[in-house]
Amino acid sequence: MVISGQVAFVNLTEHEIFDGASTGKYSIVLTLDDENAAKMEAQGVKLRNYEGSQQRKFASKFDVPIYELNGDEFMGTITRGSEVRVQYSLSQEHPRFGITPYLDKVRVVTLADSATDGDF
């Protein structure tokens, strides 16, 4: 399965840190448009509303392959606001948490400019 979205948070080169410790997972959080949000909800995946936008986190315990739009290996850092396509698979349904989307691959469609101030 594939979904498109805008990068809100990204941890694909090192594991996430929670409460000062590694979670052992790589992850990406996407902001989804209405069409992609509806697609995820129809699959039983719960979304998070953040400042009026629907978001979903995709995670993996394994290194995640990242590709350019042309299929070449992506070299660099995915920046916040970049447009990406994520290939994912779904877990079995959990009674409390719903269905978890597992991160399989990422394809960078458009790389956003870095948010760092030029005078930094």
Side-chain angles (χ1 to χ4, degrees):
M1 289 168 260
V2 176
I3 196 122
S4 297
Q6 188 175 47
V7 175
F9 303 101
V10 62
N11 290 293
L12 296 176
T13 57
E14 53 189 44
H15 291 154
E16 299 175 315
I17 303 296
F18 182 74
D19 282 342
S22 172
T23 64
K25 295 180 183 177
Y26 299 100
S27 69
I28 190 167
V29 176
L30 298 184
T31 300
L32 305 171
D33 63 17
D34 291 340
E35 180 182 338
N36 283 302
K39 177 181 173 181
M40 296 294 296
E41 288 178 327
Q43 294 171 337
V45 176
K46 294 183 180 183
L47 303 177
R48 178 179 147 203
N49 187 318
Y50 180 74
E51 295 182 357
S53 297
Q54 296 294 318
Q55 292 186 336
R56 181 60 211 193
K57 177 177 163 181
F58 299 81
S60 175
K61 292 181 181 179
F62 307 102
D63 287 339
V64 178
I66 306 170
Y67 300 99
E68 299 274 357
L69 190 55
N70 66 6
D72 291 343
E73 182 180 352
F74 178 79
M75 304 301 275
T77 303
I78 299 175
T79 50
R80 183 180 175 95
S82 295
E83 292 291 328
V84 298
R85 286 196 301 245
V86 168
Q87 182 176 323
Y88 64 98
S89 51
L90 297 174
S91 71
Q92 296 294 318
E93 186 168 7
H94 185 278
R96 181 173 171 203
F97 302 113
I99 295 174
T100 300
Y102 296 121
L103 180 59
D104 298 329
K105 299 177 187 176
V106 175
R107 184 175 305 263
V108 178
V109 176
T110 306
L111 191 62
D113 290 333
S114 176
T116 304
D117 183 2
D119 293 332
F120 180 71

